[in-house]
Amino acid sequence: MNEANQISQQTKLYGFIGEEAGKSSLSATMNRLFKANNKDAMTIPMNIREDDFYFTLSNMKKSHVNGAIISNEYVRQVVELLDESSEAVKQSGMCDILVRKEQMLKGDIFSTKVFIEFLKSNNVKEIALLGTTPHAKAFSFLSREHNFNISYFNDDLENLMNFTQEMQIQNPDINRISSNMCINFSPFDAVIDFSEMTNFEMVEQFSKLNLDMKQKTQFSPLKKITKELGAFYTSYDDLLVELAKGAADFFDKELI
């Protein structure tokens, strides 16, 4: 924000769109970052119901909003409303950030890139990746240029095999995870849950880093089981400062 904390015609306006966007501290974190860097910009939390999502995004093309961050619950729905998409969006079927250029919306993925940089900063090499969701696809696609050794886990083995074929993963380490197994993730540097599993009672030990991208308004089975086992857990909200910087950098780059 500017020094007077006021919105002018020159102020860059960004939205954080979610069902309960106002409960997240992401907008406030971004605004503190803007003010610290003397940026005349502001992020506004926008509580948007599912029934109003398409209307809101369609009308953004003619609005004064320059861009938006998309909350987890809408990252799939937004894709069909984009006029232009990055390769990561096309490969994964999700989008979590966009900019308005004239009356067009251009979408990309920023949170996964922040996530990857966090893993690199913690010297992560061996990863257990759970799930075949768009978040898993985004991570698989965007991590290709990094030196990770990824083992793939899912409760549906056929679905997992289709996932690795679709993502063109060479010689994948495929693993089934189910309730009648005893799973030990301690040999891995990180466990990343992008699955739709509702519990992890089959896991006896976790790794030193256990992460998902669930926000505090979402139920996290990974958080529940790691708390029970006394293991370390990292969520979306634990990375708010990094995410705010990643989003701000994206907006700066795209809206030059």
Side-chain angles (χ1 to χ4, degrees):
M1 286 294 293
N2 54 40
E3 285 301 315
N5 291 329
Q6 294 176 342
I7 298 174
S8 69
Q9 289 190 344
Q10 287 72 45
T11 303
K12 289 285 199 316
L13 291 179
Y14 308 115
F16 175 47
I17 298 177
E19 286 186 292
E20 299 180 288
K23 292 185 178 180
S24 172
S25 299
L26 179 60
S27 298
T29 304
M30 288 196 68
N31 290 335
R32 285 194 294 270
L33 181 65
F34 290 146
K35 191 167 186 177
N37 291 305
N38 295 314
K39 297 279 188 180
D40 189 6
M42 184 178 187
T43 304
I44 303 169
M46 301 170 64
N47 292 337
I48 305 298
R49 298 179 305 176
E50 186 174 359
D51 291 345
D52 297 326
F53 179 74
Y54 288 96
F55 177 81
T56 301
L57 265 292
S58 297
N59 280 277
M60 186 176 292
K61 297 180 181 183
K62 298 180 180 180
S63 74
H64 295 292
V65 177
N66 299 95
I69 301 165
I70 309 299
S71 188
N72 281 335
E73 63 270 22
Y74 293 139
V75 293
R76 304 185 197 198
Q77 291 97 312
V78 69
V79 174
E80 64 184 85
L81 295 169
L82 299 174
D83 299 291
E84 186 178 343
S85 301
S86 69
E87 190 62 29
V89 171
K90 294 174 183 177
Q91 290 288 332
S92 65
M94 66 166 276
C95 164
D96 62 11
I97 198 165
L98 57 86
V99 291
R100 177 185 59 80
K101 293 191 172 181
E102 296 181 347
Q103 294 189 19
M104 297 179 63
L105 299 180
K106 177 182 178 181
D108 205 341
I109 297 172
F110 86 102
S111 62
T112 306
K113 297 173 184 177
V114 171
F115 205 60
I116 288 171
E117 289 305 313
F118 175 77
L119 294 173
K120 288 169 61 180
S121 70
N122 281 275
N123 299 313
V124 168
K125 298 293 184 184
E126 305 291 333
I127 296 174
L129 178 63
L130 282 59
T132 60
T133 61
H135 278 96
K137 290 179 180 179
F139 183 85
S140 180
F141 176 76
L142 290 169
S143 64
R144 288 178 180 177
E145 60 189 70
H146 303 283
N147 190 29
F148 296 135
N149 296 319
I150 304 175
S151 297
Y152 298 87
F153 291 79
N154 198 45
D155 52 353
D156 185 330
L157 200 56
E158 182 178 354
N159 188 263
L160 183 58
M161 292 176 68
N162 290 336
F163 169 88
T164 56
Q165 291 174 5
E166 181 183 349
M167 300 308 298
Q168 299 181 346
I169 301 166
Q170 300 296 318
N171 303 313
D173 178 15
I174 295 176
N175 303 272
R176 182 169 175 264
I177 181 171
S178 70
S179 58
N180 61 354
M181 294 179 171
C182 293
I183 305 292
N184 180 3
F185 284 131
S186 61
F188 295 95
D189 298 322
V191 172
I192 302 172
D193 176 31
F194 287 147
S195 75
E196 295 178 331
M197 296 180 64
T198 56
N199 76 79
F200 293 106
E201 295 176 356
M202 74 292 292
V203 181
E204 296 181 330
Q205 282 186 273
F206 278 95
S207 67
K208 65 178 183 179
L209 283 177
N210 306 285
L211 315 92
D212 60 24
M213 290 301 282
K214 298 289 176 65
Q215 297 168 25
K216 61 185 177 183
T217 55
Q218 299 175 286
F219 170 69
S220 169
L222 183 66
K223 179 180 180 179
K224 180 177 182 293
I225 190 64
T226 51
K227 184 177 181 180
E228 292 173 1
L229 296 177
F232 189 77
Y233 167 74
T234 300
S235 71
Y236 186 97
D237 292 274
D238 292 321
L239 298 175
L240 282 183
V241 173
E242 292 89 342
L243 289 163
K245 187 178 185 304
D249 289 347
F250 173 83
F251 289 138
D252 279 348
K253 178 182 176 183
E254 292 293 329
L255 295 172
I256 294 174

